[in-house]
Structures are given as C-alpha cells and as structure tokens.
Amino acid sequence: MNLADITTVKSILSQPQKIVIVPHKNPDGDAMGACLGLCGFLKGMGQTAHVVSPNDYPKFLKWMPGNDEVVNFEWQPQEAYALLDEATVIFTLDFNDLSRIGSMEAALKDRDADFIMIDHHQQPSDYAKVTYSDVTMSSTCEMIYNFIEFLGQTNSITADIATNLYTGIMTDTGSFKYRSTSSNTHRIVANLIDKGADNMEIHRQVFDTNSPSRLHLLGVALSNMVILPEYRTAYITLTQEELDQYDFKKGDTEGFVNYGLTLEGIIFALIFIENKEEGIIKISLRSVGDFSVNQFAREHFDGGGHDNAAGGKSDLSMQETIDRFNEILKNYKSELNP
C-alpha cells in the first residue's frame, strides 16, 4: 500500500463504520482466513464488522475463530442484504473482480459504500476506493498482516486473529512450499505463532479430519489419473456420478489436483470435475516452474489466477472438454519441454 492509501484507510477507520467483509465464491482457506482475521481485528478497533460469504465453504475450515458469525448469502439472503444495506465500508478479499462472487455480484454493484480491495491475483479491476494489490504475495492473509502493520496495529493481533491468518497463509502456500513463500512470509508466520497460532493444531484441523468417503473419492481420482509424459502433464477427471457415489461434500476434492505434480517429471497438472447443477466442468490447474497456468486458463477456459495455480471452466461435456484440452495441449509441447 502506498502512503496515500494508508492515509485514506486510517481516515475511514478513524470514524465508526458498519463494515461488511466479502470473500470470493467457494472461499478457500486464504479467503476465509483473511476475512475472519480482518473481521476480528476491526472489531478489536471498536468497529461493527461482519463477514458475508457468497456461498458455503468446506467443513475443514469451519472450526476457525469467528466462523459461527459468518452470514451465508446463498442461505441467508435477508440477513445478508440487511448488512449490505447498512454498510458504509465493504472489504473485498482474495478476489479482484466482482464477477468472482457469483450471484452476490448484483447485490454489491452500485452500493454507496467505500470499497477496499485486498488481493494478490493478477489484473485487478478498478471498482474500489482503495486497492491493495500485490501479485508477489504468498496469500491474502499475508497481505492482511501487512495491512494491520501499515496501520501500526500489530500489537492488536490476538491469538484468534493469528490463527486465522496462519491458516490462510499455510493453505495458500501449500504448507509453505510454493514459490511465492518468501523469507518475509516465514517471519510473519513466526510472529503469528508467537501471538498464539498453534501451528500443529491448525495443520491437524485442516488436513487430518477426513471422512472415509473423501479418502475413497481420492482413490477414484487417482485411479482416473491420465499421465502424458510427452507433455509433462497429468490430469484427473471426476464425474458427477463418481462424486455422488462417494457422498461428495464441498471441499472434498481440495488438493486432489496437486497429486499430479508429485510425479517425477510432471510440471503441469489439472483436475476436471463435473458439476451438473451448474452445467459446467470445473477445472483446477497447477504448475511448477515458468509454465503459466494463469495464462493458459485465461486463454482457453474462461479463468485465471496465479502463474502456478489457476481455475477455469468448460460448458462442454466431460469428454468434449478432455478432447478439447488434448487438442490445445499439442500447441504447448515445446513450452512444456523447454
């Protein structure tokens, strides 16, 4: 954040505000960690603050401090609209275009409130009064820590705030293994542990609370994996029938796409997941090195994200989507084999 933006935010928060904090649709650990961490911080300043999520999120995130007060726009529209109608400030976290909040987009457009965006994805829109955008950051939670530091308020970080921010940084860095994990990321994490984040318990809550059906679904996903060594690529497919067979719950496929990258020589991994309710194939893309899945998703699958982690979608059937992907991939052989 530049000095002008910091001054603007300090001025806004120097007065009592009614604040709504919004993550992207299908929020992940970074989105919810950032929202809950910021909400706790703002309440500690004496502000009125609420988190309104566009829709539901995985069970393995619902232990986080402050989760019980989150308003689900999809399930609680009346309560959500009441908060938005009163809002004087709206924070949008971990996304940079209002299209990323699905059906909630119409509810946010043309709101007479001060928008503050905090996000680390590429190509931000310009809807916010204050935009804190930095694509070099490991996570939005790291940016929330910086935001609190810019305001000179790190002494206000409680154990609950530290827990939420640690969770988001941990999940968005793949437990600190992705390229965006910097030395400063580790310094921030150390500070969060000092402030009360129990790193062992956080890892247990996120990674060690699987249901038997989720592990069975993982077995199906791995058995469906297709490996294309000539393209250094691996992809997984999961049909709606397979999801239903193993009692799929939101978040159950989280992390499945990364298994492809554990194969020696593979630098590009994808998972294609059928969603009959939305009529789409949801696509998650991951890479290591210089191959940009953000660019790949933007050009071919109406998506985007980061250079090494992105998402997209297809309106075709599963087989048609895979056929199209295989045709597209032929154009990237040299790029995937530099």
Side-chain angles (χ1 to χ4, degrees):
M1 290 182 75
N2 59 43
L3 182 58
D5 285 340
I6 295 170
T7 302
T8 298
V9 171
K10 284 183 175 180
S11 176
I12 290 171
L13 296 181
S14 67
Q15 303 294 325
Q17 305 287 352
K18 292 186 177 180
I19 301 172
V20 170
I21 307 167
V22 182
H24 54 76
K25 183 182 178 183
N26 300 320
D28 56 9
D30 188 29
M32 291 311 301
C35 287
L36 292 170
L38 179 62
C39 189
F41 168 71
L42 293 171
K43 285 182 175 180
M45 292 181 68
Q47 298 289 356
T48 301
H50 296 86
V51 176
V52 177
S53 173
N55 63 343
D56 196 18
Y57 45 93
K59 181 181 177 182
F60 63 77
L61 299 175
K62 293 187 176 179
W63 60 272
M64 297 168 69
N67 172 78
D68 291 346
E69 297 180 10
V70 174
V71 175
N72 184 317
F73 179 82
E74 192 171 74
W75 295 347
Q76 304 162 279
Q78 189 172 357
E79 188 173 352
Y81 271 106
L83 291 172
L84 290 170
D85 288 342
E86 293 182 350
T88 55
V89 178
I90 298 175
F91 279 87
T92 62
L93 305 187
D94 202 36
F95 69 96
N96 59 24
D97 190 276
L98 294 181
S99 63
R100 291 293 317 281
I101 54 176
S103 61
M104 195 175 170
E105 179 180 3
L108 255 66
K109 278 190 171 180
D110 302 321
R111 287 279 166 185
D112 187 22
D114 290 328
F115 280 77
I116 300 174
M117 177 209 299
I118 302 177
D119 177 68
H120 65 137
H121 296 89
Q122 298 182 14
Q123 298 176 297
S125 299
D126 60 355
Y127 61 82
K129 181 172 185 176
V130 173
T131 296
Y132 174 25
S133 173
D134 189 341
V135 298
T136 69
M137 286 285 133
S138 73
S139 56
T140 299
C141 278
E142 181 172 345
M143 298 176 75
I144 294 296
Y145 182 94
N146 291 340
F147 177 81
I148 294 171
E149 189 171 51
F150 292 146
L151 299 180
Q153 298 284 337
T154 53
N155 288 337
S156 300
I157 295 177
T158 64
D160 283 352
I161 296 170
T163 295
N164 287 326
L165 297 184
Y166 183 104
T167 302
I169 295 172
M170 178 194 75
T171 54
D172 233 37
T173 59
S175 294
F176 313 106
K177 73 178 181 181
Y178 296 154
R179 177 189 292 178
S180 58
T181 307
S182 66
S183 58
N184 198 51
T185 306
H186 284 290
R187 279 187 282 270
I188 288 172
V189 164
N191 291 339
L192 294 174
I193 292 172
D194 288 343
K195 290 180 180 298
D198 184 339
N199 55 307
M200 186 173 72
E201 178 63 13
I202 292 168
H203 277 79
R204 188 189 72 80
Q205 290 280 7
V206 172
F207 297 118
D208 299 337
T209 55
N210 289 314
S211 65
S213 60
R214 181 178 188 268
L215 292 186
H216 288 142
L217 183 62
L218 173 60
V220 172
L222 294 178
S223 69
N224 290 349
M225 182 182 290
V226 175
I227 302 168
L228 304 171
E230 66 273 30
Y231 296 103
R232 303 177 73 187
T233 294
Y235 68 83
I236 290 169
T237 60
L238 282 172
T239 66
Q240 187 69 62
E241 183 179 358
E242 289 168 330
L243 297 173
D244 293 343
Q245 182 180 354
Y246 292 99
D247 193 28
F248 171 76
K249 301 288 191 302
K250 188 176 287 291
D252 277 356
T253 58
E254 187 78 21
F256 284 13
V257 63
N258 296 315
Y259 280 91
L261 294 180
T262 68
L263 293 166
E264 185 176 5
I266 297 300
I267 65 169
F268 185 24
L270 308 89
I271 187 168
F272 300 86
I273 302 173
E274 186 176 20
N275 185 322
K276 284 205 167 176
E277 182 180 351
E278 295 185 28
I280 61 172
I281 306 297
K282 299 178 71 174
I283 308 168
S284 291
L285 310 90
R286 300 291 185 270
S287 67
V288 292
D290 296 327
F291 184 73
S292 175
V293 292
N294 170 63
Q295 183 177 344
F296 189 94
R298 285 182 184 276
E299 289 185 7
H300 303 294
F301 291 107
D302 193 25
H306 304 288
D307 283 339
N308 296 122
K313 65 180 181 179
S314 168
D315 296 324
L316 303 174
S317 69
M318 177 67 82
Q319 189 57 57
E320 289 171 330
T321 299
I322 296 302
D323 290 344
R324 179 168 179 262
F325 167 71
N326 284 322
E327 283 300 312
I328 292 169
L329 196 61
K330 293 176 182 178
N331 300 317
Y332 290 85
K333 188 171 185 177
S334 60
E335 195 171 336
L336 290 162
N337 292 276

